[in-house]
Amino acid sequence: MRFRKWAILAVIVAIIAAVPTVIGAFGGFERTGGGEVAVVRNGGLLDDNRVRQIIEPGSSVTWIGWWSQIHRYPAQQRYYTITSSGGGERSGVDVVTVPSSDGVNMGIEGTLYFNLNLDHETLKSFDDKFGTRKFRSAGGGMYYPWESDEGWSAFLDQIIRPVIDNDLRSQVNSFRCAELVSSCSLVQNTSGQQTGLQQLGNNANIAKIQNAVNTSLSEDLKSTLGAEYLTNIHFNLSRVTLPKQVQDAVDQAQAAFAKVTEAQAKVAQARAEADANKARQDGYNKCPTCADIEKLKALPQGITVYAPGNSGGVALPTR
């Protein structure tokens, strides 16, 4: 009887030991999709937590060890979008607001394109530095950068976004408002107020900012992150806008210019009509008979008697 009890206890212990072993065995096989790379860290009961291996994109089933952790990162080109249309990394309206050299806050929208450096040693370093800590998302949640799209976006928002903002601020600050948005001249104390909109080469200046940002951003990101974790970096500056109050003032100024143009057209029309009347009167002075003929033409239909010069003249309609 005692032997039977010990046998049952041994079976229970064996089952308890076998369950996590079986789970660990089945969980020890992983593979990656075509657009992701994986960093595997040891996770066994007696293992350390160091990086065990790197799994290349689109791999076949691979043994990663007992209870190891797998951190998946994007292996294809990714982007970080800043836009007021609500389709960027941050929900709702999102622009980078930076001052121009003459103190006008400019709204900058654009997209940063980049790749994660897939060199194995660089990936290991990246996972050690950023994959072992959580970042706060726009919704307030805390995520690891390899933990779904929310985690990757949270990493970009907290680590990459400040570098983008700083580079845009340093470049935009070297241009005046009207050099980036020509209508800005309408509400500033410049000669543009008298001449209306001027062609100031805005697109060329925006291209200069974009090129300067692309030159500095790679080095700034490398310096901030501590290594060249991101490659193929390119920033596309898509739009420069004015603050709402300034834009409202521009709209009012443009409406005022339209009214001025309309008034000038009316003045020109009146002047032309006056010149025509004067020319007509000069002709009548030279040809009184012509004036009488014009008067007759202007009489209503049906008049049979006309007595010019007689205040009591009679005009009888035809019966």
Side-chain angles (χ1 to χ4, degrees):
M1 190 71 177
R2 182 179 299 179
F3 175 78
R4 184 177 179 182
K5 289 182 178 180
W6 280 108
I8 294 173
L9 181 61
V11 170
I12 293 174
V13 171
I15 293 174
I16 293 175
V19 169
T21 301
V22 171
I23 294 175
F26 279 100
F29 292 95
E30 288 286 356
R31 62 181 177 181
T32 57
E36 62 184 8
V37 63
V39 177
V40 180
R41 305 189 76 95
N42 290 323
L45 296 177
L46 302 179
D47 283 338
D48 55 36
N49 194 237
R50 295 177 182 177
V51 175
R52 170 192 175 96
Q53 66 195 94
I54 303 294
I55 305 178
E56 293 286 352
S59 72
S60 58
V61 176
T62 304
W63 171 253
I64 63 171
W66 301 91
W67 300 289
S68 294
Q69 296 179 337
I70 184 168
H71 298 173
R72 302 177 188 272
Y73 295 105
Q76 56 195 189
Q77 185 188 63
R78 298 303 294 264
Y79 55 86
Y80 183 94
T81 300
I82 303 167
T83 177
S84 60
S85 66
E89 294 297 323
R90 295 181 179 178
S91 59
V93 175
D94 178 29
V95 297
V96 178
T97 303
V98 295
S100 61
S101 63
D102 48 356
V104 179
N105 284 332
M106 313 295 291
I108 309 298
E109 301 178 35
T111 301
L112 174 69
Y113 299 90
F114 62 93
N115 290 84
L116 184 65
N117 193 331
L118 300 184
D119 173 74
H120 286 197
E121 293 304 317
T122 304
L123 273 176
K124 292 177 182 179
S125 174
F126 178 84
D127 193 66
D128 282 336
K129 190 169 186 177
F130 299 105
T132 56
R133 53 183 287 203
K134 291 186 175 183
F135 298 90
R136 186 177 301 277
S137 70
M142 299 295 293
Y143 299 92
Y144 292 104
W146 43 266
E147 192 176 6
S148 73
D149 288 339
E150 287 82 359
W152 183 248
S153 294
F155 161 73
L156 295 177
D157 203 38
Q158 288 201 4
I159 302 299
I160 306 302
R161 176 63 179 268
V163 182
I164 299 174
D165 289 2
N166 185 66
D167 274 47
L168 288 173
R169 182 176 295 107
S170 63
Q171 298 302 328
V172 171
N173 192 247
S174 61
F175 290 89
R176 292 182 295 107
C177 175
E179 292 178 314
L180 300 178
V181 180
S182 58
S183 58
C184 196
S185 63
L186 292 173
V187 292
Q188 291 184 310
N189 186 22
T190 65
S191 60
Q193 290 177 314
Q194 282 73 43
T195 60
L197 297 181
Q198 299 180 357
Q199 297 299 323
L200 299 178
N202 303 140
N203 290 337
N205 291 330
I206 291 174
K208 289 180 182 179
I209 293 176
Q210 179 176 287
N211 293 336
V213 169
N214 282 321
T215 299
S216 61
L217 199 54
S218 296
E219 287 302 319
D220 290 344
L221 285 172
K222 180 179 179 180
S223 174
T224 301
L225 300 179
E228 194 175 2
Y229 295 125
L230 305 183
T231 62
N232 302 324
I233 296 170
H234 177 75
F235 184 80
N236 180 33
L237 199 163
S238 59
R239 190 180 180 201
V240 180
T241 59
L242 297 174
K244 184 179 184 303
Q245 298 87 341
V246 178
Q247 186 60 56
D248 289 344
V250 167
D251 293 340
Q252 293 173 7
Q254 289 175 325
F257 274 113
K259 291 180 180 179
V260 169
T261 301
E262 181 182 2
Q264 289 174 340
K266 290 181 178 180
V267 169
Q269 181 182 3
R271 184 178 294 113
E273 290 177 354
D275 291 341
N277 290 335
K278 183 178 182 302
R280 189 179 298 111
Q281 187 60 49
D282 289 342
Y284 292 158
N285 292 338
K286 294 177 181 179
C287 178
T289 302
C290 297
D292 291 336
I293 293 173
E294 291 295 326
K295 291 178 182 178
L296 289 173
K297 290 180 178 180
L299 289 175
Q301 293 278 339
I303 296 298
T304 59
V305 178
Y306 173 57
N310 184 353
S311 60
V314 178
L316 297 175
T318 302
R319 292 186 181 273

